[in-house]
């Protein structure tokens, strides 16, 4: 055992440069892959770590507070410039500050610096001067922080209660209102409760003194969270990091995709890939069966096979154009004229949507599934087929009971490849249904629950949009990394599921013994 | 070799044994077959005796496997095959339009060169043909499965793991499982296409013993490359060459006292 492992690890000696070249290529590929993952992980996940806030005093007496982001050497060797994220965009017009390191007089980490996460304008950084409750009562000093934290917890609970009320009571009631008159009373009562909750959430504000002497008054409903990073223990930071990651995963985007979470994009990606798999698998498998089992193996079949293999190489944007022309404008436009005339000229199916995107990607990945399945079918010895026929099976019985179970692992390989390709495609989606912002996921409680005509968000497109179309690229970059990491993980999970399934199928009867 | 040529153009009918129709299970009359324009069988006429083991021997490409596949109509799948002549099973033409291929294949079972159990459990493999027929209660089916596995001398080895995958069996066990699978549908004729060529000597002996036991109620047709095997298990042996039937005789006679020089040359190994 030991000998075997040491033999495996031994570097090739006396075999010339070839072995080294091959080993080097493997090492380089692995290194590139690891570097990619490491970059995404560090930049993406590091963003959620509550980094300390520095209070910087400059030579000229000005002060600023912010998180240190990075340092860049100045041109002509003039020292180093440091970038701070200072927030307070509503006051300063910018949330970034470049500071020459040489001009810094003092740096401190006061524990009472507060970082606010706001619904609009992004972060605010400063000292909490006062907390004003909804009743008008004003609390100052250290007690203000405790009061603010308590009230924010309360608001979170109220918000949850309101969302639950909306989803579990009001929406189902509203959906039933059409067919039963009875629900009206209940609905009014529920609306009443909703108004009560909203009233309980209203009011209250806090006063923040910024480092450069300004004062900022923030209504509490604008506040998503508040923390004092310098006062946090490592455990607190870990908890805050976990919460940040969770919110990134579970919330919708804010501030033109440069802040907030990516939940609708995760949902859209996974749903689209699943729909695509459901659409492509039967078509691909049936086509492969026809090509390999039924069709006469002549010149025409060979030609079709070559054409299918070549289709796999067509650039994806071409499929996007095809999807736009045929699915969206052609079929979608016709559907609109036949079934949704009432809502014209605003299109229902005549515009990009989940269904058209899934269909386009299914078309894109069809060759992959056909080729993989065909290879699986070709590997099955003819004796298996003849064995079934010799027992009196029809061709259909032979295919469904003997050949397809044996080809199942190969089919799943095809689906794995298709998923990997489809989940990463962005270009065709931009033509056939992806949206910059679609906070409504395509599945909800309204009949028919799955809304195939809706536009949806996609992680790949979200990356593109946040990185290039956001107002503040600097702020969006960490989210771009995090989203990219997430996309990799989503594809990994989808693939692992299929690989697990394939493994399960192929071990059920052991490996196919070939003689 | 002028002698050989002369014999081929007019086969010595005395070298070909015949059986009365009532004692034969299969009758092949004037059977010719070609793959496209490549002839494989040329005007074969012979009868296969009921409840005996008949072996087809001959060099590679002599058409013995092709002949076996005709008896099971496996060539139906191949569009290129051109066939003439007829094959009678118990007096009925197996290619007649009113004959159901599935029914024929249940009456004429076939076992192939390398074991081909299906990707299912041992139990389901034997149940496969029965399920296709349908109409059997689970109890009855299980009885037949046990009987088939016992007939194939496999029951004692697998009775405790009927739900295990058939692919977990050894090669010899797999081949006996395939035989059991074929027996389960109740064939009258069992075609064996080199059933032991992929197996080790011990497994081969078991299969041969099985063949000898099965002839009490089955007509067996064995194609083999192995002349010792043909000599060991068969009652009658037919020697084929270039798609023609050269000599057909009781096995003892054919191996110890062949009538024709071509046969002698082949069985003594003097011919490539």
């Amino acid at each position: 055992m030991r000998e075997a492992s040491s033999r495996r690890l031994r570097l090739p000696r006396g075999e010339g440069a070839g072995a080294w070249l091959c080993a080097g290529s493997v090492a380089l590929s692995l290194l590139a892959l690891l570097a990619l993952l490491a970059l995404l992980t560090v930049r993406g996940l590091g963003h959620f770590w509550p980094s300390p806030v520095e209070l910087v005093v400059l030579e000229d007496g000005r002060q600023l507070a912010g998180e240190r982001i990075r340092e860049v050497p100045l041109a002509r060797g003039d020292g180093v410039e440091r970038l701070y994220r200072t927030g307070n965009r509503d006051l300063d017009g910018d949330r970034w500050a470049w500071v020459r390191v040489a001009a810094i007089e003092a740096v401190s980490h006061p524990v009472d610096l507060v970082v606010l996460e706001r619904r609009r304008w992004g972060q605010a950084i400063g000292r909490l001067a006062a907390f004003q409750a909804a009743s008008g009562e004003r609390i100052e000093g250290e007690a203000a922080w405790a009061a603010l934290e308590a009230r924010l917890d309360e608001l979170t609970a109220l918000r949850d209660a309101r969302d639950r009320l909306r989803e579990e009571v009001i929406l189902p009631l509203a959906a039933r209102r059409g067919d039963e008159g009875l629900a009206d009373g209940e609905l009014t009562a529920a609306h009443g409760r909703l108004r009560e909750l909203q009233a309980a959430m209203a009011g209250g504000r806090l006063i923040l003194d910024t480092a450069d002497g300004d004062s900022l008054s923030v209504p509490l409903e604008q506040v998503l969270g508040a923390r004092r990073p310098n006062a946090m223990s490592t455990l607190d930071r870990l908890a805050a990091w976990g919460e940040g990651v969770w919110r990134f995963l579970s919330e919708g985007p804010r501030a033109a995709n440069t802040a907030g979470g990516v939940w609708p994009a995760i949902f859209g990606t996974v749903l689209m890939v699943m729909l695509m798999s459901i659409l492509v698998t039967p078509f691909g498998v049936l086509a492969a069966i026809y090509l390999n089992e039924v069709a006469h193996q002549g010149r025409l079949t060979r030609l079709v096979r070559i054409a299918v293999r070549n289709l796999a190489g067509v650039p994806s944007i071409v499929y996007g154009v095809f999807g736009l022309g045929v699915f969206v404008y052609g079929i979608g436009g016709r559907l609109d004229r036949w079934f949704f005339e009432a809502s014209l000229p605003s299109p229902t199916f005549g515009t990009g949507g989940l269904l058209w995107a899934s269909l386009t990607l299914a078309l894109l990945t069809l060759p992959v599934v056909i080729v993989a399945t065909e290879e699986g079918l070709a590997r099955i010895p003819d004796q298996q087929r003849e064995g079934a026929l010799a027992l009196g099976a029809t061709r259909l019985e032979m295919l469904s009971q003997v050949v397809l179970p044996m080809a199942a692992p190969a089919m799943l390989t095809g689906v794995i490849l298709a998923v990997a390709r489809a989940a990463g495609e962005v270009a065709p989606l931009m033509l056939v249904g992806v949206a910059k912002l679609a906070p409504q996921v395509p599945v909800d409680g309204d009949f028919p629950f799955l809304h195939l005509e809706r536009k949806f968000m996609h992680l790949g497109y979200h990356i593109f949009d946040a990185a290039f179309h956001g107002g503040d690229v600097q702020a969006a970059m960490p989210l771009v990394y995090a989203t990219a990491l997430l996309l990799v993980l989503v594809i990994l999970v989808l693939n692992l599921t299929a690989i697990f399934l394939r493994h399960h199928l192929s071990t059920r009867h052991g490996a196919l013994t070939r003689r | 070799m002028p002698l050989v040529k002369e014999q081929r153009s007019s086969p010595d009918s005395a070298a070909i044994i015949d059986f009365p129709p009532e004692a034969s299970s299969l009758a092949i009359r004037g059977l010719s077959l070609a793959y496209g324009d490549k002839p494989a069988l040329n005007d074969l006429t012979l009868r296969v005796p009921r409840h005996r083991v008949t072996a087809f021997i001959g060099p590679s490409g002599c058409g013995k496997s092709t002949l076996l596949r005709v008896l099971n109509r496996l060539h139906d799948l191949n569009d290129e095959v051109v066939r003439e002549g007829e094959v009678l099973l118990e007096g009925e033409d197996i290619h007649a339009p009113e004959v159901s291929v599935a029914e024929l294949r249940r009456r004429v079972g076939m076992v192939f060169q390398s074991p081909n159990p299906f990707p299912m459990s041992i139990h389901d493999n034997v149940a496969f043909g029965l399920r296709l027929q349908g109409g059997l209660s689970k109890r009855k089916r299980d009885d037949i499965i046990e009987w088939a596995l016992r007939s194939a001398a496999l029951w004692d080895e697998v009775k405790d793991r009927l739900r295990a995958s058939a692919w977990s069996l050894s090669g010899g066990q797999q081949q006996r499982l395939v035989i059991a699978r074929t027996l389960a549908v109740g064939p009258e004729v069992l075609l064996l296409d080199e059933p032991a060529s992929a197996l080790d000597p011990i497994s081969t002996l078991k299969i041969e013993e099985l063949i000898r036991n099965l002839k009490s109620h089955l007509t067996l047709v064995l194609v083999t490359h192995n002349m010792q095997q043909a000599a060991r298990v068969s009652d009658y042996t037919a020697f084929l060459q270039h798609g023609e039937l050269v000599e057909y005789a009781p096995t003892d006679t054919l191996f110890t006292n062949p009538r024709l020089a071509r046969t002698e040359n082949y069985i003594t190994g003097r011919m490539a």
Side-chain angles (χ1 to χ4, degrees), chain A residues 87-245:
Chain A
N88 305 353
R89 194 151 68 94
D90 38 345
L91 292 179
D92 309 337
D94 196 0
R95 65 179 108 177
W96 308 95
W98 286 99
V99 175
R100 272 198 327 121
V101 174
I104 292 178
E105 185 109 335
V107 171
S108 58
H109 296 90
V111 292
D112 58 347
L113 276 179
V114 173
V115 177
L116 283 186
E117 202 66 53
R118 294 178 298 176
R119 213 174 280 279
R120 281 173 62 200
W121 299 113
Q123 282 184 335
I125 300 177
R127 288 190 170 87
L128 186 64
F131 168 73
Q132 198 174 0
S135 56
E137 181 193 3
R138 192 180 162 94
I139 305 167
E140 291 187 13
E142 199 48 33
W145 173 248
L148 174 66
E149 275 196 311
R151 176 63 181 160
L152 285 178
D153 287 345
E154 236 174 83
L155 281 178
T156 313
L158 285 170
R159 225 172 266 148
D160 284 350
R162 180 196 61 189
D163 292 347
R164 263 205 311 279
L165 183 67
R166 260 201 199 132
E167 255 169 53
E168 291 167 14
V169 181
I170 295 183
L171 282 177
L173 280 179
R176 269 169 45 199
R177 195 171 49 176
D179 38 61
E180 298 174 42
L182 287 166
D184 266 4
E186 287 176 57
L187 195 62
T188 321
H191 275 300
R193 259 184 294 153
L194 189 68
R195 271 194 295 278
E196 274 170 43
L197 281 174
Q198 262 154 353
M201 283 161 64
R205 56 177 53 242
L206 61 90
I207 316 293
L208 205 66
D209 285 343
T210 63
D212 48 1
D214 266 333
S215 174
L216 194 65
S217 169
V218 186
L220 277 192
E221 59 255 23
Q222 284 290 322
V223 178
L224 293 165
R227 60 171 189 255
R228 289 173 147 181
N230 295 345
M232 288 167 111
S233 67
T234 312
L235 214 62
D236 288 339
R237 282 173 205 274
L238 209 63
W241 178 82
E243 202 200 324
V245 172

Side-chain angles (χ1 to χ4, degrees), chain A residues 296 383-395 397-398 401-402 405-406 508-513 515, chain B residues 69 72 74 77 79 102 105-106 110 112-121 128 132 165 167 174 181-182 198:
Chain A
H296 178 74
Q383 294 215 338
Q384 289 287 340
R385 299 184 178 88
E386 288 175 348
L389 292 178
L391 285 173
T394 61
R395 179 129 78 174
E397 285 163 339
M398 167 198 84
Q401 293 179 40
V402 175
M406 288 179 79
R508 199 172 47 175
H509 294 288
L512 172 59
T513 44
R515 267 163 250 273
Chain B
R69 295 163 73 91
N72 193 265
L74 270 182
L77 283 182
D79 311 332
R105 287 178 184 154
R106 281 195 281 269
M110 180 146 180
F112 296 84
Q113 184 171 3
S114 53
N116 57 350
F118 301 139
M120 313 167 181
S121 68
F128 185 87
L132 292 178
S165 166
W167 290 358
Q174 288 187 6
R181 186 173 78 185
T182 314

